[in-house]
Amino acid sequence: MFSYRHAFHAGNHADVLKHLALVAVLRHLAGKEAALALLDSHAGAGLYRLDGDYAATSGEAADGVLRLLQAPAGQRAEWPQAVRDYLEVLAGFNPGGGHRVYPGSPFLMQRLARPQDRIKLFEMHPTDARTLQANVAQLEAGRQVQVLREDGFEGVRRFLPPPSRRGLLLCDPSYELKSDYGRVADLLAMALQRFPTGTYLIWYPLIARNEAHILPRRLKTVAARAGKPWLHATLTVKAARQPAAPAAAAAATGERARRPGLPASGVFVVNPPYTLHGLLAPALPFLAQTLGQDKHAASTLERSPA
Ligand code: SAM
């Protein structure tokens, strides 16, 4: 079974990029009255503790969202709109102040959904699926939110197209299996055939692996073949690390050793809201500067040719 647990990585720079983009997309989609179908093919546990053991072990949130949350409130007024919108949603999960609770994508979706919207959450890891189910139960959201313990790549198919013909699919696998990269591209191709007007948000790690390197190119090809516009944003916080020498790798233990800090990641959005490019353009360099860990910190933003 999979060993990836998102609790180690919750609130890291990759979550900041993905969740900031997710909030921007959701806020735009919620601007129209018609019901939305919100699908999360790889949902995780839903809610995380930033003061818990997982976050403390990895230290990833400390170099991610906590850098934003711990900045003096007075500074924030000057920050890019998309960053402020994201932090405003996070603040709703910590009503007494502080930064203990970090919402994953399922809870961001639910927080920004309206009563008419429906949310389907897929999670295969037995522990995380149980935790997600328990977290969702606390919401008392009734039929609005459904947790499905099944393969998200396959499971989303039967909800496409949604009856309202409006919706968002977030595809955020752990990429533990090399085959995940190909499955992401296949999922997008299938989904665009069934539901061409849907919005698709795909997250991927930018790591020294051929599959990761070529994924954005594959996604552009899939979108172009379907005649759909896309937007592609990346955030790098540090130089890619060289693989550890065998002796050092053998000496290292635990989650940190298995997943040395991710240097960069990207989000690829098909049928992006027209507001998204303008929101990300100032936010990305700001994030590179604020979350950057060395001189290699950078961001990119590109979109399909008009
Ligand atoms: N989307 C979540 C968020 O932003 O808060 C994080 C998801 S995490 C990166 C990926 C999750 O996918 C893990 O919890 C893992 O157990 C789960 N997973 C892996 N393969 C899966 C599959 N084929 N179908 C559904 N879930 C899967």
Side-chain angles (χ1 to χ4, degrees), residues 213-235:
H213 194 67
I214 62 174
L215 183 62
R217 231 182 305 147
R218 289 185 70 178
L219 297 175
K220 286 174 193 174
T221 304
V222 171
R225 279 199 188 127
K228 296 298 169 189
W230 52 262
L231 177 152
H232 179 214
T234 69
L235 176 65

Side-chain angles (χ1 to χ4, degrees), residues 4 6 18-19 41-44 104-105 123-125 151-152 172:
Y4 180 91
H6 195 68
K18 169 182 60 186
H19 292 158
S41 61
H42 298 73
S105 50
E123 173 53 50
M124 273 201 13
H125 193 290
D151 181 358
D172 178 30

Side-chain angles (χ1 to χ4, degrees), residues 239-292:
R241 231 177 60 169
Q242 297 305 313
T253 55
E255 179 76 10
R256 204 182 172 90
R258 281 201 301 277
R259 297 186 64 85
L262 182 70
S265 71
V267 289
F268 191 85
V269 187
V270 181
N271 290 325
Y274 73 91
T275 47
L276 190 60
H277 190 275
L279 284 167
L280 292 184
L284 290 165
F286 170 85
L287 292 179
Q289 189 184 25
T290 312
L291 306 186

